[in-house]
Amino acid sequence: MVKLGQSSFRRILLSRILLLSVPVLLVGEYVTYRKARSTLLETARQNLTESAVRKAETIEQWAKSLKSNLIGASENSMLQSVEPKDYQKFIAQLGQRLPAQVDCLQLTNLKTNQVIASTCGQQPIQSLPAKFWPQVQQQQTLLDDKSVYISLSWPVQPEGKANDKKLALGAEDFPEAGKEGRDSQVSLVLSAPVYIRRGNSRQLSYALSLQSALPVQTSAPKGSLAGYTVAIDQDGTILAHPNINRVGRNIDQEADAARLKSIVRRAIAGGQAFLHLFSFERNGVELLAGYAAIPSPSTKQENSKWIILAVSRLDYALSGLEEIQQVLFNLIVGLVAASIIATLYLSRDLARPLEKLRDYALKVDTEAPQAVPQNFQIREFNQLSEALNSMVQRLRSWAEELEVATKEAQVANQLKNEFLGNISHELRTPLNGIIGFIQIVRDGYCDDRDEEMEFLQRAHDSSMQLLNIINDILDIAKIEAGTFSMILEVVDITQVLEDAIDLQVAQIQEKGLKLSLPEPHDPIIVHADPEKLKQVFLNVLSNAVKFTESGSIKISVRIESRNNSASFNGSAESTNGQGGQNDWVVVTIKDTGIGIDPEQQQKLFQPFVMADGSTTRRFGGNGLGLAISRRIMESMIGSITLHSAGVNQGTTVMISLPVNQQSSFYFQSQDLVKEKGNYKS
């Protein structure tokens, strides 16, 4: 029954997919647009910075070329031979040979201060200084850059405005098609002396002057990343600008004065970069400006600079973004439409199998169960149908598993009962001995002091046996609880093995067994708890002595290489955490005792399990020794394994630990042996 507020799976699926996909598409398109814009902007910034450097280099080379051409022209031998009446013809010819950027060339008589030859009229282009050049030139002296007098010529302001560069001008809009050209920029006027030979000396007679406007780009069309040129003197005076009304004014009068001053400071400091400007044209149009600095051509001061800017409007630099916007708009419309169509088909394909399974589930309680719908195109729905079909089978299997679990619980209960019976027997045997021996001594039944000491020694041995049983029970309890602690240190495993053998030698000799010891060996260094390791050796040795009536016990030690990725029993890890080969020490204890049935061998490492668990068994024991030994070895990143060919065929136990190569040098100094670290198993 459909309740209010509920909706179909198909409708919910459709709405959710659209709700997720459409915003993702929109966000993706927006991120793409922002990435494209930032890429174009970064490209424009780099190009403008490079353009500013090129423009600065061009102006610097232009100034140097003017100086060299002027010096060469002033020292031309033709000036020595040409008659004064032919100076105009010579200046005209010289003006044709000079570079095209020279706007005017004049020859001035320094005695009369009259222009005697010119390519641009008789009005002087420069006020020549008095006593700037020496009156007489030595024959061996050549002119250099210091002999050139340089000044700036400011363009005439339109509409009769003053040409004084210090005059405060109002802010004008940057004209889209204003006055452009060489006459709208600052010109550089250079003058060089001309010495005429008179007798044995060369007398200062004339000054050769030329005028050339700054070679700047006064326009930046849309899409161009070169930018138009703006030149600013170190003191903040604008030397070149597409708008003639800006030329001559100081950047302090600009709305973007702070940013322009920042550009000047950075350029003087040697920087070559870019900056955004917002009010350097009109109406707050945002600009991008790359900048670089060159030595000032108009002064001989070493630290004086000109700052050259390559400026472009931001919308011009991002002109390609309009096409990208159109492409992205068409793309997002197409993707949204495709997403809607794909969502319709997807929701139908996903909802139809679910609806069939729903119909089947609704009919199970009211009608005879039919075959579950299968062969869907979606694997998960096929798996769901198979799950429904196998539900009954799983219920049956659960019943069988419960029966098996019940049997296992019964077996576990039987093991528990056997353990309780065996452990009570093992505890009662030494306890009865202790009580009996002490009563004999207490009641004075001993014949002499030696017999009394013998009974006390037997009581002591029985108490130690009882203590060992209790310690085993406590150890296995701590291991199961995760509180079993060890103190790992660098030890010689051969020494620990010798200590364990010394404790078992008396029992071995008492039973008349032959003991084969390993050959003398250099110290083998391992990282282990010496007491716990000795406990493992004692457990294995005591089992070998206990289960061997006659024959021998052979103990050997060897070194073998193993892969660090797996230990001898497949569970231990590498000591250094790296791949490759590592040396392991393997202690083998082999006896000729009663052996073990192969089917019983793996069970012996489980707690409370013994090959013979009855209280009437031939050999004693509590079934904890090997289980504790395995847990100890695993905690020390080692292993213990047991092998027997069968009953009455002896048993071989192998105890393995990784050799601590990095600590081998410790035993070269006994002071270093005492360094220890605490670990929790």
Side-chain angles (χ1 to χ4, degrees):
M1 179 178 179
V2 179
K3 297 182 180 179
L4 295 177
Q6 295 182 345
S7 181
S8 66
F9 173 75
R10 184 177 298 191
R11 183 177 300 173
I12 293 175
L13 186 62
L14 177 62
S15 61
R16 296 296 188 273
I17 293 177
L18 290 177
L19 187 62
L20 291 175
S21 60
V22 173
V24 170
L25 289 176
L26 293 176
V27 171
E29 295 290 344
Y30 175 75
V31 171
T32 303
Y33 169 78
R34 296 298 300 178
K35 183 64 177 178
R37 186 181 186 277
S38 62
T39 301
L40 290 175
L41 187 60
E42 184 63 25
T43 301
R45 290 168 174 171
Q46 294 176 358
N47 288 339
L48 286 174
T49 302
E50 295 174 359
S51 177
V53 174
R54 290 195 300 269
K55 293 177 186 296
E57 292 175 349
T58 300
I59 294 176
E60 187 175 6
Q61 293 298 325
W62 161 77
K64 292 180 179 178
S65 176
L66 290 179
K67 291 180 182 179
S68 61
N69 286 328
L70 179 62
I71 292 173
S74 66
E75 293 182 338
N76 195 316
S77 60
M78 293 292 294
L79 284 174
Q80 306 293 330
S81 59
V82 175
E83 295 295 330
K85 64 179 181 179
D86 295 328
Y87 280 160
Q88 180 63 40
K89 182 179 179 180
F90 172 77
I91 292 299
Q93 293 176 352
L94 183 61
Q96 294 177 356
R97 292 197 300 269
L98 289 177
Q101 63 263 33
V102 176
D103 300 325
C104 182
L105 187 65
Q106 288 184 348
L107 184 65
T108 304
N109 190 324
L110 293 178
K111 293 182 179 180
T112 62
N113 286 329
Q114 297 294 322
V115 177
I116 61 176
S118 175
T119 61
C120 57
Q122 298 303 313
Q123 182 69 28
I125 60 176
Q126 186 182 41
S127 178
L128 297 174
K131 299 180 180 180
F132 183 77
W133 299 289
Q135 294 297 319
V136 179
Q137 182 189 38
Q138 300 296 329
Q139 292 184 2
Q140 68 274 14
T141 303
L142 298 177
L143 297 178
D144 54 13
D145 291 350
K146 296 181 180 179
S147 302
V148 179
Y149 178 74
I150 305 173
S151 63
L152 296 178
S153 176
W154 297 88
V156 179
Q157 298 289 342
E159 302 177 1
K161 290 185 179 180
N163 193 30
D164 187 358
K165 67 177 182 178
K166 296 182 179 179
L167 181 63
L169 300 177
E172 294 88 6
D173 292 339
F174 178 67
E176 294 294 338
K179 182 179 179 181
E180 297 181 354
R182 300 177 61 83
D183 57 347
S184 64
Q185 307 300 327
V186 167
S187 297
L188 203 62
V189 182
L190 300 87
S191 298
V194 178
Y195 291 89
I196 303 299
R197 181 179 299 278
R198 288 184 175 87
N200 294 330
S201 63
R202 293 167 58 87
Q203 300 293 326
L204 178 64
S205 302
Y206 306 104
L208 183 62
S209 304
L210 62 82
Q211 180 179 0
S212 179
L214 265 67
V216 296
Q217 182 178 349
T218 57
S219 63
K222 189 174 184 179
S224 172
L225 296 179
Y228 62 80
T229 307
V230 174
I232 303 175
D233 198 355
Q234 181 170 329
D235 62 0
T237 303
I238 299 176
L239 304 174
H241 194 282
N243 187 347
I244 189 174
N245 295 328
R246 298 287 182 89
V247 178
R249 67 190 293 177
N250 197 280
I251 58 176
D252 289 335
Q253 301 171 267
E254 299 292 338
D256 251 348
R259 289 180 174 269
L260 290 172
K261 289 180 180 179
S262 175
I263 289 177
V264 172
R265 288 195 304 270
R266 295 181 184 181
I268 292 175
Q272 296 177 355
F274 62 88
L275 198 68
H276 287 257
L277 301 174
F278 297 95
S279 302
F280 199 47
E281 279 195 10
R282 56 172 180 152
N283 300 330
V285 175
E286 186 173 357
L287 306 174
L288 291 176
Y291 57 87
I294 60 172
S296 174
S298 62
T299 179
K300 294 182 174 59
Q301 297 180 4
E302 294 182 359
N303 296 328
S304 182
K305 302 284 187 180
W306 279 10
I307 292 84
I308 310 301
L309 280 70
V311 184
S312 176
R313 291 175 51 161
L314 181 62
D315 54 347
Y316 286 5
L318 299 178
S319 58
L321 197 60
E322 297 176 357
E323 298 179 0
I324 296 177
Q325 286 177 333
Q326 185 62 37
V327 171
L328 290 177
F329 176 78
N330 296 334
L331 182 62
I332 193 171
V333 171
L335 289 176
V336 170
S339 177
I340 293 174
I341 296 174
T343 302
L344 290 173
Y345 280 98
L346 180 62
S347 61
R348 186 193 65 177
D349 292 340
L350 289 176
R352 184 176 298 175
L354 192 61
E355 292 168 354
K356 290 183 178 180
L357 292 174
R358 175 202 60 190
D359 296 339
Y360 169 79
L362 292 175
K363 294 179 180 179
V364 169
D365 293 338
T366 58
E367 301 178 6
Q370 300 177 356
V372 180
Q374 293 181 348
N375 300 324
F376 298 116
Q377 295 180 353
I378 301 175
R379 180 177 56 191
E380 285 74 10
F381 286 121
N382 286 327
Q383 294 173 348
L384 181 59
S385 65
E386 293 175 359
L388 291 174
N389 196 31
S390 61
M391 186 179 299
V392 175
Q393 297 179 359
R394 289 205 306 273
L395 290 175
R396 292 176 179 174
S397 64
W398 289 344
E400 295 176 356
E401 291 175 1
L402 287 175
E403 184 178 356
V404 172
T406 302
K407 293 181 179 179
E408 291 179 351
Q410 293 174 352
V411 172
N413 188 49
Q414 181 181 356
L415 289 176
K416 181 196 70 172
N417 293 333
E418 289 181 358
F419 172 75
L420 292 176
N422 291 329
I423 201 66
S424 62
H425 176 73
E426 293 294 328
L427 292 174
R428 188 164 47 249
T429 299
L431 188 58
N432 289 335
I434 294 171
I435 296 172
F437 292 133
I438 291 177
Q439 285 180 348
I440 292 174
V441 174
R442 185 193 63 184
D443 295 339
Y445 293 125
C446 298
D447 295 335
D448 53 20
R449 180 63 177 173
D450 292 338
E451 186 177 8
E452 182 178 307
M453 293 303 298
E454 179 183 355
F455 287 153
L456 289 176
Q457 181 63 40
R458 291 183 181 180
H460 177 268
D461 294 340
S462 298
S463 64
M464 294 304 298
Q465 180 182 357
L466 181 61
L467 178 62
N468 290 334
I469 296 173
I470 295 174
N471 286 337
D472 287 344
I473 296 173
L474 292 177
D475 286 344
I476 199 66
K478 290 180 180 179
I479 290 174
E480 295 295 336
T483 59
F484 188 70
S485 63
M486 291 191 298
I487 301 177
L488 300 183
E489 59 183 84
V490 177
V491 298
D492 180 7
I493 192 173
T494 59
Q495 183 62 46
V496 177
L497 179 60
E498 290 177 3
D499 294 343
I501 294 174
D502 291 342
L503 295 176
Q504 294 292 325
V505 167
Q507 297 183 20
I508 295 173
Q509 293 176 351
E510 183 179 347
K511 296 188 70 171
L513 302 177
K514 181 181 179 181
L515 177 62
S516 178
L517 297 176
E519 297 180 358
H521 202 287
D522 293 335
I524 302 175
I525 311 306
V526 296
H527 206 61
D529 186 323
E531 294 300 326
K532 298 299 188 296
L533 183 59
K534 183 166 70 172
Q535 180 181 351
V536 173
F537 287 146
L538 287 175
N539 286 339
V540 177
L541 286 171
S542 62
N543 284 343
V545 174
K546 179 169 59 176
F547 295 112
T548 304
E549 294 295 335
S550 62
S552 64
I553 298 176
K554 181 179 181 181
I555 303 174
S556 62
V557 179
R558 72 177 188 275
I559 301 293
E560 64 180 33
S561 295
R562 299 181 186 173
N563 195 319
N564 284 344
S565 61
S567 70
F568 187 79
N569 62 359
S571 62
E573 301 176 355
S574 171
T575 58
N576 54 13
Q578 300 176 352
Q581 297 292 324
N582 192 27
D583 290 338
W584 285 62
V585 56
V586 181
V587 178
T588 304
I589 301 174
K590 183 177 181 180
D591 62 61
T592 59
I594 62 174
I596 305 171
D597 188 346
E599 296 181 357
Q600 301 290 332
Q601 292 177 17
Q602 289 301 322
K603 297 180 180 180
L604 294 180
F605 289 102
Q606 299 178 8
F608 316 125
V609 175
M610 293 176 287
D612 183 5
S614 64
T615 56
T616 59
R617 62 190 185 277
R618 180 181 176 187
F619 300 98
N622 52 34
L624 298 177
L626 290 179
I628 294 174
S629 298
R630 167 165 284 189
R631 299 295 180 89
I632 291 175
M633 294 308 299
E634 289 177 351
S635 299
M636 295 189 296
I637 320 299
S639 64
I640 178 171
T641 58
L642 181 146
H643 173 73
S644 177
V647 178
N648 297 324
Q649 298 189 40
T651 304
T652 301
V653 178
M654 287 182 290
I655 301 168
S656 305
L657 275 174
V659 178
N660 194 336
Q661 301 287 356
Q662 298 178 350
S663 301
S664 296
F665 67 91
Y666 281 8
F667 276 80
Q668 297 177 6
S669 175
Q670 294 183 357
D671 293 337
L672 297 178
V673 179
K674 300 179 181 179
E675 298 186 3
K676 300 180 181 179
N678 293 330
Y679 295 82
K680 279 280 187 178
S681 63

